[in-house]
């Protein structure tokens, strides 16, 4: 544990609150040491789980430790889990007359593109989507002033209906927000709380569905995330914490907790984004520039791709079908397939896994907290891949109830499908693995990348149990299990820079683009983003900026993000940059077709000091031996797997499967036909032997 006696604040703490466990990575700036802590999350009271982890930083838990912490950087899946499980605030929408169903119509897409059936339930039901008279045209001119009496009347109906948050979304407000601003002022006056969202404040960008969806999800998350962060801040201050509380954004940067309360939609993939940042850094340090990351926590499985050492950013993602968030973020594919995901047999007799999760309370059946529905973790316990007699989660559970897990799988899965218990448990993992492999194919093959050219890095509490399965399913050649897989997102929190993004729609042909106006907008966005950086009170090594234009050819729908140099801004240089980007993406340019500039994107990045990853490395030489043999059921038969204490393995250790590697934050299952070796940073490199 860190030294806490009579020292000024000297600890930097990265915290990732997942659906099942809360993970802490503690960096001591005085002696350069690092420590990890893992405690159960407290669903519904996530701040309490956070504080429990902070208390564990001291061997004497009666003494407060928060005063020794200089900075807390927090990545959270509170927003992600709330959206996946649709446990968000009851939300209402006020919109322009005639546009009540934008959220439901989407892009006229379907959950299964080629299927004949499918359904979608919008996050806001139709009786809570109300209309008012107003209209701004696409060129920004005011056609009809907003009827504020209607706004007041309709808002009152939403409040009376029990709405906890309201989103105001007017058509074309990105071009001129005056009507939306007036309506927001009225609603905030009559209903003074922070849970009134203006779509033009969250996303001043063209495309009505994406703007409506993003703003609505922001409103729906405000009470959930805002309440959590408010409680957390109060608890920290009461314990003597006087430093900075920063929150990881979905783009891999961090922001102040106040900003996170205002725009919680930017935290929708916060925890997974921090993990990708850590994976990219660890992979680069180990000599791998191309890596696919897979974060398997208790509730979700989040996949991303790092090419040439850099995480891929996207302007838009879907948390689940129809739940679209348009905000700069690391490209992450999220599905409901975590260790706590519940397995069931549906009415058609099909075995399904997730998206419902048992979380940490009651948790998987083997936790012994009252759950009777089997999960992925229960299947791993029944098959012997997790030792039932081994403490889990850093000692939070002394042992697991294997018999109850077996009974749950038999009653819920085996009997309905006519299988024995072991076959049913393997079937659960087969379905879960297939879902996870599908997500990996989405971020690789479907985006033009050959997974055989990438390494696969699993993290999260459950990811390393499935590393070999993912390599088999997708064709990845090498697996990289980081030193502390279960707290990789917390490690990424400590590594992340502060970043703020802004966007403004231009919607002009390149020939008509006013470069003087463009530079003025750039300066305005730079000032706005710099104020956000300054408000956090953090010192930076330097300030970087990223400028891009969303561009396309006339008649096209989808844009390309084109990086530009503010110091050399001409129509010719912009055209050249666009054609270079287009050629790299599609192998050709379309000469003679008008080029359009849709949006200006700006990011300002405060680069924080980095630490040396070698502090995580094990000793180069040492004696190690097996902890014994464990029976593991795999591919229809029992195997004798050697058990090892993973963190005691020195650099250069080589082990063939079947084997199990145990550590406080995760378990690693090495299948027959695979081998692993420990590299100089303590990563476990997994390769096929046959």
């Amino acid at each position: 544990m860190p030294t806490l006696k009579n020292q000024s604040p000297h600890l930097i703490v990265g915290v990732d609150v997942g659906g099942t466990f809360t993970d802490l990575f503690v960096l001591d700036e005085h002696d350069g040491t690092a420590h990890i802590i893992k405690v159960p999350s407290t669903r519904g009271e996530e701040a309490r789980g956070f504080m429990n982890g902070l208390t564990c930083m001291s061997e004497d838990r009666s003494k407060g430790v928060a005063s020794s912490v200089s900075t807390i950087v927090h990545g959270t899946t509170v927003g992600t889990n709330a959206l996946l499980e649709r446990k968000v605030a009851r939300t209402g929408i006020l919109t322009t007359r005639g546009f009540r169903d934008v959220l439901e119509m989407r892009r006229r897409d379907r959950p299964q593109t080629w299927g004949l059936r499918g359904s979608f339930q919008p996050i806001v039901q139709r009786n809570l989507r109300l209309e008012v008279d107003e209209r701004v045209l696409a060129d920004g001119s005011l056609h009809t002033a907003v009827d504020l009496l209607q706004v007041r009347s309709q808002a009152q109906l939403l409040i009376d209906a029990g709405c906890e948050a309201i989103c105001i979304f007017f058509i074309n407000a990105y071009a001129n927000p005056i009507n939306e601003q007036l309506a927001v002022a009225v609603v905030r006056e009559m209903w003074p709380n922070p849970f009134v969202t203006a779509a033009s404040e969250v996303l001043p960008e063209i495309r009505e569905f994406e703007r409506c969806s993003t703003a609505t999800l922001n409103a729906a998350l405000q009470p959930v995330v805002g309440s959590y962060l408010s409680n957390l801040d109060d608890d920290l201050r009461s314990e003597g914490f006087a430093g900075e509380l920063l929150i990881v954004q979905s783009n891999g940067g961090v922001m102040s907790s106040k900003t996170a309360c205002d725009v919680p939609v930017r935290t929708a993939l916060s925890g997974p984004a921090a993990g990708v940042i850590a994976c990219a850094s660890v992979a680069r340090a180990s000599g791998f520039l191309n890596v696919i990351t897979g974060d398997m926590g208790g509730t979700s499985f989040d996949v991303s791709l790092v090419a040439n050492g850099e995480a891929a950013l996207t302007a838009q993602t879907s948390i689940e079908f129809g739940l679209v968030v348009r905000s700069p973020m690391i490209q992450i594919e999220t599905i409901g397939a975590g260790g706590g995901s519940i397995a069931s047999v549906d009415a058609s007799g099909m075995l399904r896994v997730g998206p419902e999760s048992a979380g940490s309370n009651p948790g998987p059946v083997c936790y012994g907290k009252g759950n009777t529905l089997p999960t992925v973790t229960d299947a791993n316990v029944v098959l012997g891949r997790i030792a039932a007699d081994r403490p889990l989660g850093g000692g939070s559970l002394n042992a697991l109830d294997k018999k109850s897990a077996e009974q749950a799988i038999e009653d819920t899965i085996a009997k309905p499908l006519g299988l024995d218990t072991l076959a049913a448990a393997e079937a659960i993992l087969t379905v879960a693995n297939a879902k996870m492999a599908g997500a990996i194919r989405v971020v690789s093959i479907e985006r033009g990348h050959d997974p055989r050219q990438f390494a696969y890095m699993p993290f999260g509490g459950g990811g390393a149990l499935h590393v070999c399965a993912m390599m088999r399913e997708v064709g990845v050649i090498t697996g990289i299990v980081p030193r502390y897989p279960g707290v990789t997102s917390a490690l990424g929190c400590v590594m992340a820079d502060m970043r703020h993004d802004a966007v403004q729609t231009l919607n002009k042909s390149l020939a008509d683009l006013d470069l003087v106006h463009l530079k003025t907008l750039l300066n305005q966005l730079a000032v706005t983003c710099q104020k956000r950086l300054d408000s956090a009170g953090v010192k930076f090594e330097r300030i970087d900026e990223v400028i891009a234009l969303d561009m396309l050819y006339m008649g096209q729908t989808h844009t390309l993000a084109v990086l530009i140099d503010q110091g050399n801004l001409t129509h010719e240089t912009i055209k050249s940059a666009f054609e270079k980007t287009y050629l790299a993406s599609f192998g050709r340019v379309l000469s003679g077709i008008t080029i359009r500039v849709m949006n200006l994107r700006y990011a300002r990045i405060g680069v924080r000091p980095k630490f040396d990853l070698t502090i995580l490395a094990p000793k180069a030489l040492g004696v190690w031996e097996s902890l014994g043999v464990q029976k593991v059921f795999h591919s229809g038969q029992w195997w004798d797997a050697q058990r090892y204490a993973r963190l005691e393995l020195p650099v250069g250790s080589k082990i063939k499967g079947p084997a199990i590697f145990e550590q406080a934050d995760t378990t690693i299952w090495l299948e027959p036909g695979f081998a692993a070796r420990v590299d100089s940073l303590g990563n476990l490199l997994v390769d096929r032997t046959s």
Side-chain angles (χ1 to χ4, degrees), residues 246-257:
L246 306 176
I247 309 301
V248 179
Q249 304 181 67
S250 302
N251 61 15
V254 297
M255 58 183 168
S256 68
S257 57

Side-chain angles (χ1 to χ4, degrees), residues 263-346:
V263 281
V265 74
R266 293 185 184 175
T267 72
L269 295 175
S270 169
V276 175
I277 292 298
C279 286
S281 297
V282 171
R284 281 196 304 268
S286 297
F288 295 89
L289 293 180
N290 298 323
V291 61
I292 298 169
T293 71
D295 178 9
M296 186 179 186
T299 303
S300 62
F301 179 66
D302 309 293
V303 189
S304 189
L305 184 140
V306 177
N308 297 318
E310 298 294 333
L313 290 178
T314 181
Q316 177 176 312
T317 194
S318 295
I319 304 300
E320 200 177 61
F321 174 78
L323 302 185
V324 172
V325 176
R326 189 162 179 82
S327 176
M329 62 183 64
I330 291 177
Q331 267 187 340
I332 295 174
E333 184 76 14
T334 299
I335 61 172
S341 293
I342 295 171
S344 61
V345 178
D346 65 16

Side-chain angles (χ1 to χ4, degrees), residues 415-443:
K415 289 181 179 178
L417 295 180
L419 301 173
D420 63 46
T421 303
L422 292 174
E426 277 209 301
I428 291 172
L429 296 188
T430 298
V431 171
N433 287 335
K435 289 183 65 175
M436 292 189 289
I440 292 175
R441 293 187 185 99
V442 168
V443 303

Side-chain angles (χ1 to χ4, degrees), residues 27-63:
L27 177 66
D28 191 322
E29 293 184 290
H30 282 177
D31 60 19
T33 58
H35 309 269
I36 68 166
I37 298 166
K38 198 174 188 75
V39 297
S41 296
T42 48
R43 295 296 290 271
E45 296 181 310
E46 284 83 0
R48 183 160 58 86
F50 186 118
M51 296 305 297
N52 289 342
L54 207 58
T55 301
C56 291
M57 287 168 51
S58 173
E59 293 180 358
D60 182 357
R61 299 192 180 188
S62 65
K63 296 181 179 179

Side-chain angles (χ1 to χ4, degrees), residues 468-549:
C468 297
M470 293 302 98
M471 293 174 67
R472 282 190 290 102
E473 291 274 352
V474 186
V476 174
I477 303 302
T478 301
I480 309 172
V481 182
R483 181 73 167 161
Y484 299 108
V487 295
T488 299
S489 289
L491 169 63
C493 293
V494 175
M495 293 177 163
D497 296 319
M498 178 162 276
R499 174 177 177 136
H500 285 289
D501 289 81
V503 61
Q504 180 61 57
T505 289
L506 301 172
N507 198 13
K508 300 281 186 180
S509 69
L510 178 57
D512 294 333
L513 184 64
D514 185 338
L515 296 182
V516 174
H517 178 61
L518 180 63
K519 292 178 180 178
T520 300
L521 280 178
L522 273 172
N523 291 333
Q524 291 174 352
L525 296 181
V527 170
T528 299
C529 291
Q530 185 61 46
K531 287 181 178 178
R532 293 281 196 183
L533 294 182
D534 294 339
S535 68
V538 177
K539 293 182 180 180
F540 306 114
E541 288 187 339
R542 68 179 189 274
I543 301 293
D544 293 340
E545 63 178 9
V546 179
I547 304 169
L549 295 172

